Amino acid sequence: MQLPSGGAQHYILMLIPTLLREIEELGLPHIIRTSGFSEREVTTLYFEFVSIKRVLPADPERIAPEIWEHLLYCVQVMSAMVNAASLSELVQAREQAIRKFLPHARKAIETEYREQCREGAVDLRLAGMLREKTSPEHSRELCMEAIRLEREQRLESVRALSTSLLGHHSAHVVEAAKAWVVRENADPPEDFGALDLVIRLLDLLKLVLALEGDSNAKAAIPGDFSVDNIVLGIGNALYRKELGLQSSLVRFPHP
């Protein structure tokens, strides 16, 4: 077996305790009902995962190559359990995200359009978007255009993100993400979904780190917007395919 990349190894060591917490919060009876695993399988696997977590070293370099295959199996199975138990929540979350983001998207495009009008260089595509009647397809198009504009605005901010305040695993994941963003942006992919998500999460991480340094502002940070949650979201976007994971439904923040 080919070893996971360096950043993916750190992500796995962060992900195992997080998935265990998710399983515990969902509850083993709920997992048994929804995952397709038998009661005996769920119970046996859960206690195996707990035992593995207790003996894992913090440094990936201390983990023997033959152990990584089993660790990868662990996160794949735990991820599958959590995904099956939370599928209906994902469908609702996607619809809510589009509805929530749409007013922001329209405002961002209107701002960009007005700025272009002042400069005498109007993008007819943007003008058409703003005139078109609302439909599900049009809503998605508006959202994607607003995300593209935000990508350009946030990229320079992301380059300046410092990892000095992050833990060992988190710092490795974030540095790998910063390098990946620079590479991907230099040769833009046809599908910007993963790139946009990682840029937005890195930008959110920078904001949360700044707020955590202010004792007055720290109390206002929503619980889901913890540094660990954001870094886990970044790792999920970067390493899901490499590790053979399903789209993880661990409750990452929506940037």
Side-chain angles (χ1 to χ4, degrees), residues 10-11 19 30 61 68 74 77 112 178 195 233 239:
H10 287 276
Y11 175 61
L19 285 169
H30 183 59
E61 293 185 359
W68 281 111
C74 287
V77 173
E112 177 70 11
K178 288 174 62 180
L195 179 61
Y239 303 120

mmCIF file of all heavy atoms in Angstrom, residues 10-11 19 30 61 68 74 77 112 178 195 233 239:
data_model
loop_
_atom_site.group_PDB
_atom_site.id
_atom_site.type_symbol
_atom_site.label_atom_id
_atom_site.label_comp_id
_atom_site.label_asym_id
_atom_site.label_seq_id
_atom_site.Cartn_x
_atom_site.Cartn_y
_atom_site.Cartn_z
ATOM 1 N N HIS A 10 -1.459 13.568 8.944
ATOM 2 C CA HIS A 10 -1.864 14.434 10.064
ATOM 3 C C HIS A 10 -3.385 14.558 10.123
ATOM 4 O O HIS A 10 -3.980 14.581 11.209
ATOM 5 C CB HIS A 10 -1.225 15.814 9.926
ATOM 6 C CG HIS A 10 0.244 15.829 10.221
ATOM 7 N ND1 HIS A 10 0.749 15.935 11.494
ATOM 8 C CD2 HIS A 10 1.318 15.738 9.396
ATOM 9 C CE1 HIS A 10 2.066 15.915 11.456
ATOM 10 N NE2 HIS A 10 2.434 15.793 10.194
ATOM 11 N N TYR A 11 -4.023 14.627 8.967
ATOM 12 C CA TYR A 11 -5.486 14.723 8.921
ATOM 13 C C TYR A 11 -6.137 13.471 9.505
ATOM 14 O O TYR A 11 -7.106 13.562 10.266
ATOM 15 C CB TYR A 11 -5.945 14.946 7.482
ATOM 16 C CG TYR A 11 -7.437 14.932 7.304
ATOM 17 C CD1 TYR A 11 -8.245 15.858 7.941
ATOM 18 C CD2 TYR A 11 -8.047 13.970 6.493
ATOM 19 C CE1 TYR A 11 -9.621 15.842 7.786
ATOM 20 C CE2 TYR A 11 -9.422 13.948 6.329
ATOM 21 C CZ TYR A 11 -10.205 14.887 6.971
ATOM 22 O OH TYR A 11 -11.562 14.862 6.811
ATOM 23 N N LEU A 19 -14.382 11.613 14.463
ATOM 24 C CA LEU A 19 -15.413 10.672 14.027
ATOM 25 C C LEU A 19 -15.955 9.868 15.208
ATOM 26 O O LEU A 19 -17.156 9.568 15.270
ATOM 27 C CB LEU A 19 -14.850 9.741 12.960
ATOM 28 C CG LEU A 19 -14.668 10.367 11.572
ATOM 29 C CD1 LEU A 19 -13.868 9.445 10.666
ATOM 30 C CD2 LEU A 19 -16.011 10.695 10.933
ATOM 31 N N HIS A 30 -28.724 4.469 16.884
ATOM 32 C CA HIS A 30 -29.050 5.170 15.637
ATOM 33 C C HIS A 30 -28.127 4.709 14.507
ATOM 34 O O HIS A 30 -28.572 4.510 13.372
ATOM 35 C CB HIS A 30 -28.925 6.677 15.841
ATOM 36 C CG HIS A 30 -29.303 7.483 14.637
ATOM 37 N ND1 HIS A 30 -30.552 7.418 14.064
ATOM 38 C CD2 HIS A 30 -28.593 8.375 13.887
ATOM 39 C CE1 HIS A 30 -30.605 8.226 13.027
ATOM 40 N NE2 HIS A 30 -29.425 8.813 12.892
ATOM 41 N N GLU A 61 5.358 9.979 12.010
ATOM 42 C CA GLU A 61 6.587 9.269 11.663
ATOM 43 C C GLU A 61 6.846 8.074 12.583
ATOM 44 O O GLU A 61 7.643 7.199 12.263
ATOM 45 C CB GLU A 61 7.775 10.233 11.699
ATOM 46 C CG GLU A 61 7.704 11.306 10.605
ATOM 47 C CD GLU A 61 8.942 12.173 10.571
ATOM 48 O OE1 GLU A 61 9.845 11.952 11.410
ATOM 49 O OE2 GLU A 61 9.001 13.076 9.717
ATOM 50 N N TRP A 68 -0.662 2.049 8.714
ATOM 51 C CA TRP A 68 -1.456 3.072 8.013
ATOM 52 C C TRP A 68 -2.629 2.464 7.249
ATOM 53 O O TRP A 68 -3.699 3.065 7.158
ATOM 54 C CB TRP A 68 -0.573 3.880 7.061
ATOM 55 C CG TRP A 68 0.231 4.916 7.779
ATOM 56 C CD1 TRP A 68 1.576 4.927 7.972
ATOM 57 C CD2 TRP A 68 -0.270 6.086 8.432
ATOM 58 N NE1 TRP A 68 1.956 6.030 8.709
ATOM 59 C CE2 TRP A 68 0.830 6.763 9.005
ATOM 60 C CE3 TRP A 68 -1.542 6.628 8.598
ATOM 61 C CZ2 TRP A 68 0.701 7.952 9.710
ATOM 62 C CZ3 TRP A 68 -1.686 7.818 9.314
ATOM 63 C CH2 TRP A 68 -0.568 8.465 9.864
ATOM 64 N N CYS A 74 -10.053 2.247 9.209
ATOM 65 C CA CYS A 74 -10.834 2.764 10.335
ATOM 66 C C CYS A 74 -11.593 4.027 9.953
ATOM 67 O O CYS A 74 -12.803 4.145 10.208
ATOM 68 C CB CYS A 74 -9.924 3.055 11.526
ATOM 69 S SG CYS A 74 -9.320 1.595 12.377
ATOM 70 N N VAL A 77 -14.477 3.320 7.445
ATOM 71 C CA VAL A 77 -15.657 2.691 8.036
ATOM 72 C C VAL A 77 -16.402 3.677 8.930
ATOM 73 O O VAL A 77 -17.634 3.795 8.861
ATOM 74 C CB VAL A 77 -15.263 1.428 8.837
ATOM 75 C CG1 VAL A 77 -16.469 0.881 9.604
ATOM 76 C CG2 VAL A 77 -14.713 0.366 7.903
ATOM 77 N N GLU A 112 -20.273 44.511 -7.688
ATOM 78 C CA GLU A 112 -19.293 44.386 -8.760
ATOM 79 C C GLU A 112 -19.790 45.074 -10.032
ATOM 80 O O GLU A 112 -19.024 45.764 -10.722
ATOM 81 C CB GLU A 112 -19.020 42.905 -9.037
ATOM 82 C CG GLU A 112 -18.064 42.627 -10.205
ATOM 83 C CD GLU A 112 -16.635 43.026 -9.918
ATOM 84 O OE1 GLU A 112 -16.313 43.330 -8.740
ATOM 85 O OE2 GLU A 112 -15.828 43.043 -10.870
ATOM 86 N N LYS A 178 -2.439 25.648 1.928
ATOM 87 C CA LYS A 178 -1.973 26.903 1.318
ATOM 88 C C LYS A 178 -1.171 26.626 0.051
ATOM 89 O O LYS A 178 -1.353 27.291 -0.977
ATOM 90 C CB LYS A 178 -1.128 27.693 2.323
ATOM 91 C CG LYS A 178 -1.931 28.314 3.460
ATOM 92 C CD LYS A 178 -1.025 28.956 4.504
ATOM 93 C CE LYS A 178 -0.192 30.085 3.933
ATOM 94 N NZ LYS A 178 0.674 30.702 4.950
ATOM 95 N N LEU A 195 -11.478 24.070 -4.777
ATOM 96 C CA LEU A 195 -10.595 25.238 -4.601
ATOM 97 C C LEU A 195 -11.320 26.342 -3.851
ATOM 98 O O LEU A 195 -10.778 26.928 -2.907
ATOM 99 C CB LEU A 195 -10.116 25.740 -5.963
ATOM 100 C CG LEU A 195 -9.203 26.971 -5.953
ATOM 101 C CD1 LEU A 195 -7.918 26.692 -5.181
ATOM 102 C CD2 LEU A 195 -8.875 27.394 -7.392
ATOM 103 N N GLY A 233 -12.409 20.580 8.254
ATOM 104 C CA GLY A 233 -13.085 20.848 6.987
ATOM 105 C C GLY A 233 -12.105 21.010 5.846
ATOM 106 O O GLY A 233 -12.334 20.514 4.733
ATOM 107 N N TYR A 239 -8.251 15.819 1.225
ATOM 108 C CA TYR A 239 -7.793 14.435 1.278
ATOM 109 C C TYR A 239 -8.902 13.392 1.139
ATOM 110 O O TYR A 239 -8.618 12.199 1.199
ATOM 111 C CB TYR A 239 -7.047 14.196 2.597
ATOM 112 C CG TYR A 239 -5.885 15.126 2.776
ATOM 113 C CD1 TYR A 239 -5.827 16.001 3.856
ATOM 114 C CD2 TYR A 239 -4.846 15.165 1.837
ATOM 115 C CE1 TYR A 239 -4.758 16.871 4.005
ATOM 116 C CE2 TYR A 239 -3.788 16.042 1.982
ATOM 117 C CZ TYR A 239 -3.745 16.891 3.071
ATOM 118 O OH TYR A 239 -2.694 17.765 3.215
#
